[in-house]
Amino acid sequence: MRSSLITATAALVGSAVAVPWGKGGLWGGKHDPTKCLNWDTANYLATSFQSLIAAFSTTTAETVLADDFTDFSNSILSLIGQPVDVPAFTSKEQFIQGQGAQPPVPLEILAIDAFNCQNVTLRWNAKFGVGPQSVNGITHLTASNSQGQKDTWQISVIYTEFDSLAWWKAIGGTVNPPPPQPSS
Ligand SMILES: *[C@@H]1O[C@H](CO)[C@@H](O)[C@H](O)[C@H]1NC(C)=O
């Protein structure tokens, strides 16, 4: 079950993901895979994040999100007209309800730029909606492994910021530029 999920989510991006040090390179295998992310588990979490946006499934969310899950994103809050600097989702249940109600967005991973024991950072692009618009984003995932097996890594925190103006236009919103500033 778990390994088929890994295979399925990895297949979503396949060769589109490239890292300079490559699979099993610089860091891969040098750490205890139950205590530190390696290439495989970092890639699993990045592609799981992708699949939550591109092809949401409650099963994936239940599996990959930690029980203490939080999502920080002023971009999401701006997009939905809420005050910023608070979490966009304060729990796994809230994320499942909120994200689960969104239409799928064809998010593609441009690169997994870095990972260490606890974190994965990736860049992504999505082209969709009116135009279509091209939306770029950067996502930092903090991982945890409360079950302590090498294939039980989960996402505890998502920090994601993206071009919410382009996203707004993609969903049919319009943008009025500010009036010219008086010259001083
Ligand atoms: C992982 O990212 C979080 C959030 O930015 C940070 O607080 C933490 O120190 C990072 N952990 C490591 C090992 O870099």
Side-chain angles (χ1 to χ4, degrees):
M1 167 58 206
R2 175 63 76 119
S3 61
S4 68
L5 179 62
I6 294 173
T7 309
T9 53
L12 278 170
V13 280
S15 58
V17 177
V19 289
W21 52 86
K23 178 174 172 157
L26 195 57
W27 290 336
K30 285 196 178 168
H31 299 292
D32 179 343
T34 71
K35 297 203 164 50
C36 271
L37 293 174
N38 58 24
W39 163 249
D40 287 325
T41 46
N43 186 61
Y44 162 69
L45 293 181
T47 53
S48 296
F49 165 77
Q50 177 201 28
S51 84
L52 290 173
I53 311 302
F56 181 86
S57 111
T58 305
T59 308
T60 304
E62 290 286 2
T63 306
V64 80
L65 301 182
D67 288 343
D68 63 351
F69 175 77
T70 312
D71 187 330
F72 292 96
S73 175
N74 279 5
S75 304
I76 292 175
L77 294 169
S78 295
L79 189 61
I80 62 175
Q82 295 294 315
V84 298
D85 293 337
V86 295
F89 297 105
T90 54
S91 71
K92 180 172 177 167
E93 291 66 34
Q94 209 184 50
F95 182 90
I96 288 170
Q97 280 177 8
Q99 188 58 40
Q102 294 302 310
V105 166
L107 184 149
E108 291 184 16
I109 296 176
L110 297 175
I112 297 173
D113 291 293
F115 69 90
N116 63 22
C117 265
Q118 195 187 15
N119 293 304
V120 191
T121 304
L122 60 137
R123 287 178 295 122
W124 50 263
N125 173 263
K127 290 182 178 62
F128 68 103
V130 179
Q133 299 295 317
S134 177
V135 180
N136 276 348
I138 298 176
T139 296
H140 179 83
L141 305 171
T142 296
S144 61
N145 192 5
S146 63
Q147 295 171 67
Q149 304 298 306
K150 66 182 188 326
D151 63 351
T152 53
W153 284 92
Q154 293 179 307
I155 299 167
S156 279
V157 190
I158 296 176
Y159 302 89
T160 193
E161 299 299 347
F162 56 88
D163 184 348
S164 51
L165 212 50
W167 194 297
W168 175 248
K169 290 196 268 183
I171 60 176
T174 53
V175 179
N176 297 317
Q181 297 299 305
S183 49
S184 50

